[in-house]
Amino acid sequence: MARYDRAITVFSPDGHLFQVEYALEAVRKGNAAVGVRGTDAVVLAVEKKSTPKLQDSRSARKIVSLDNHIALACAGLKADARVLINKARIECQSHRLTLEDPVTVEYITRYIAGLQQKYTQSGGVRPFGLSTLIVGFDPYTRIPSLYQTDPSGTFSAWKANATGRNSNSIREFLEKNYKETSGQETVKLAIRALLEVVESGGKNIEVAVMTREEGGLRQLEEAEIDAIVAEIEAEKAAAEAAKKGPSKET
Amino acid sequence: MECVFGLVGNGFAIVAADTSAVHSILLHKNNEDKIMVLDSHKLVAASGEPGDRVQFTEYVQKNVSLYKFRNGIPLTTAAAANFTRGELATALRKNPYSVNILMAGYDNESGASLYYIDYIATLHKVDKGAFGYGSYFSLSTMDRHYRSDMSVEEAIELVDKCILEIRSRLVVAPPNFVIKIVDKDGARDYAWRQSVKDVTTAVV
């Protein structure tokens, strides 16, 4: 027992926590995940690496519900994700039991981030190797939110963000193209952002939406995603043609 | 003094409970809802120690929710009833809950069902059940008139007969009752039977 109380995450001479930074590396190798906050909808889209033919895809869902009004997607070590998600789900119900109120998005984000931080300052454990994107609508106010947490335990709110593989390119795209959207436009923006780094097609993307009126998380069917992707490609082609058109006439 | 009873009909289950919150000789309120909606298709009618009743049923409700989020599907009525009974049994020889429960639910595969769970963790699947002093009257009335596969109207007639019997024969009969129903469309309020509405201040 004495051997396992030594900390794994310790400071380096120049003030780095290498274990945390290595955990962030693990996140960078994980599947790309995008989150976008609209005025009345929040969207999560995750890259789906080619599904093995024999696998039941329903058991490998990457976007999960924490409660009726909160959803989570993550990039990094999926087994670590299971542990965090389980604890978060318990906390959601525990909060309802003791406070007779559902959690706010910020509360559960703070809780998850708190857990991630705890594992950077405890003996014998390593940090969780994942960053999460948490979306939802606060109870009563119904204000939409998107939050991100990372292995260090920091969290912040975003209008749109990405994590995992090529997240920098996706974030650049979002910074250039973000505007306040609602409903289907928000879904399109999220998918367009993800398509920057992912092969086009419904079978390579998993998308889920939560709207203010509907409540609850709705996973989009492959056919629906294909349809939206087709729309996006058509819009892109039209934009290309418009660019080339005028120069031909001169 | 608390009266809770219920029965299973054709594709539905109905539970009724009195709505008096009593402390010794004082009536705190006469519109206390003792039938909790456990989830979309389950009702829990509970009677017993007021603190235990609320704390225990809310605890069961949150655990039933947690199961749904963890596993992507809700618990069946039978599973929820057995979970409830297990919790009562575990607490029994340490810190028992003084709560009697009638759990009614609808499952697509097995239809409507009613479970009798008493405070010492007895579990029975029943067609009709009742708790409290009122059970002497409601159980007898149901035994006389109950048939399997009753329609909602017939079942409500029987429930009203039971309420009438309780009101006329139980010396400290509760004045008001709430009736809830669960069927394929979910668990919901059916009606209130009030013989005493809230007392408003007298006009001077």
Side-chain angles (χ1 to χ4, degrees):
Chain A
M1 202 54 218
R3 294 254 174 81
Y4 299 104
D5 56 16
R6 202 73 59 88
I8 287 176
T9 312
V10 290
F11 278 113
S12 69
D14 59 346
H16 290 247
L17 287 172
F18 279 123
Q19 280 302 300
V20 175
E21 291 180 17
Y22 299 157
L24 280 154
E25 251 319 294
V27 170
R28 254 171 248 132
K29 295 205 161 50
N31 302 353
V34 174
V36 179
R37 181 190 85 193
T39 52
D40 64 354
V42 285
V43 182
L44 287 169
V46 181
E47 169 189 10
K48 224 180 5 185
K49 289 214 186 83
S50 53
T51 6
K53 287 209 181 96
L54 294 171
Q55 186 186 77
D56 183 348
S57 55
R58 283 171 309 171
S59 68
R61 283 255 177 266
K62 300 218 169 105
I63 306 173
V64 297
S65 277
L66 296 182
D67 202 342
N68 292 323
H69 59 304
I70 312 257
L72 176 148
C74 57
L77 270 50
K78 292 297 185 260
D80 285 5
R82 254 198 344 260
V83 174
L84 269 183
I85 289 168
N86 193 32
K87 290 193 190 196
R89 282 173 170 159
I90 293 174
E91 180 61 20
C92 284
Q93 296 306 315
S94 180
H95 188 281
R96 279 180 184 260
L97 184 61
T98 49
L99 291 115
E100 283 226 345
D101 253 348
V103 295
T104 57
V105 190
E106 199 239 359
Y107 177 95
I108 198 66
T109 306
R110 190 185 295 274
Y111 176 80
I112 292 174
L115 272 175
Q116 288 182 288
Q117 190 283 338
K118 207 183 296 239
Y119 280 67
T120 67
Q121 212 178 8
S122 298
V125 299
R126 61 163 176 79
F128 288 98
L130 69 143
S131 290
T132 70
L133 286 171
I134 301 166
V135 296
F137 288 86
D138 279 352
Y140 308 119
T141 61
R142 310 300 285 147
I143 296 175
S145 306
L146 164 67
Y147 282 86
Q148 189 207 37
T149 74
D150 64 28
S152 66
T154 50
F155 72 93
S156 49
W158 294 75
K159 295 180 189 163
N161 202 358
T163 179
R165 214 164 58 85
N166 302 117
S167 58
N168 286 326
S169 334
I170 305 180
R171 207 170 301 117
E172 254 182 64
F173 175 88
L174 286 168
E175 279 174 17
K176 269 201 213 95
N177 294 282
Y178 179 83
K179 53 185 200 311
E180 292 276 314
T181 53
S182 72
Q184 195 69 330
E185 283 305 308
T186 318
V187 180
K188 257 206 215 147
L189 179 56
I191 296 181
R192 268 168 58 214
L194 194 55
L195 285 177
E196 291 286 302
V197 304
V198 171
E199 225 182 278
S200 185
K203 57 180 169 48
N204 300 315
I205 308 178
E206 193 178 306
V207 184
V209 195
M210 193 181 286
T211 55
R212 184 184 283 124
E213 310 86 51
E214 267 172 38
L217 188 67
R218 189 170 69 88
Q219 309 264 7
L220 268 54
E221 307 263 326
E222 206 179 294
E224 262 187 277
I225 303 175
D226 276 329
I228 301 176
V229 168
E231 257 183 74
I232 293 172
E233 312 262 272
E235 280 169 15
K236 252 197 227 166
E240 288 286 313
K243 247 192 270 172
K244 290 204 184 105
S247 50
K248 266 197 196 142
E249 274 151 35
T250 49
Chain B
M1 253 53 94
E2 291 193 309
C3 305
V4 172
F5 61 95
L7 58 116
V8 176
N10 188 9
F12 68 92
I14 279 192
V15 283
D18 76 287
T19 58
S20 307
V22 172
H23 187 102
S24 169
I25 57 166
L26 173 70
L27 185 71
H28 277 303
K29 58 193 291 207
N30 58 13
N31 58 358
E32 168 83 357
D33 189 349
K34 297 178 190 169
I35 306 181
M36 164 183 280
V37 176
L38 201 67
D39 74 9
S40 63
H41 287 73
K42 290 181 194 47
L43 289 171
V44 167
S47 72
E49 195 81 51
D52 281 354
R53 173 169 55 80
V54 174
Q55 297 290 71
F56 182 70
T57 53
E58 284 188 355
Y59 171 74
V60 172
Q61 185 192 54
K62 299 328 185 218
N63 273 284
V64 168
S65 277
L66 184 60
Y67 181 96
K68 185 181 76 178
F69 284 107
R70 273 194 177 138
N71 299 285
I73 50 165
L75 277 169
T76 58
T77 312
N82 277 280
F83 169 74
T84 305
R85 187 245 148 209
E87 290 298 306
L88 286 167
T90 306
L92 182 61
R93 291 175 202 270
K94 291 188 190 132
N95 212 346
Y97 295 103
S98 305
V99 193
N100 297 308
I101 285 171
L102 277 177
M103 186 179 290
Y106 184 90
D107 308 295
N108 285 323
E109 305 81 29
S110 40
S113 52
L114 183 66
Y115 287 86
Y116 171 104
I117 309 169
D118 78 7
Y119 73 105
I120 40 178
T122 309
L123 174 68
H124 289 305
K125 183 173 185 302
V126 293
D127 287 332
K128 49 183 152 41
F131 283 110
Y133 286 125
S135 69
Y136 291 114
F137 307 105
S138 50
L139 227 32
S140 309
T141 311
M142 288 195 285
D143 282 345
R144 171 69 182 82
H145 296 289
Y146 177 86
R147 287 174 340 272
S148 59
D149 284 353
M150 293 171 89
S151 71
V152 179
E153 294 73 32
E154 290 169 335
I156 290 295
E157 254 188 70
L158 178 49
V159 167
D160 280 328
K161 276 203 181 78
C162 293
I163 293 176
L164 184 62
E165 199 64 26
I166 290 169
R167 277 191 180 145
S168 52
R169 285 299 188 183
L170 187 54
V171 62
V172 267
N176 301 338
F177 285 80
V178 62
I179 306 172
K180 297 200 182 181
I181 187 172
V182 59
D183 60 17
K184 64 172 175 22
D185 299 322
R188 58 193 180 278
D189 270 38
Y190 183 88
W192 284 66
R193 299 285 188 245
Q194 293 176 303
S195 62
V196 175
K197 298 253 166 66
D198 252 316
V199 179
T200 47
T201 41
V203 177
V204 173

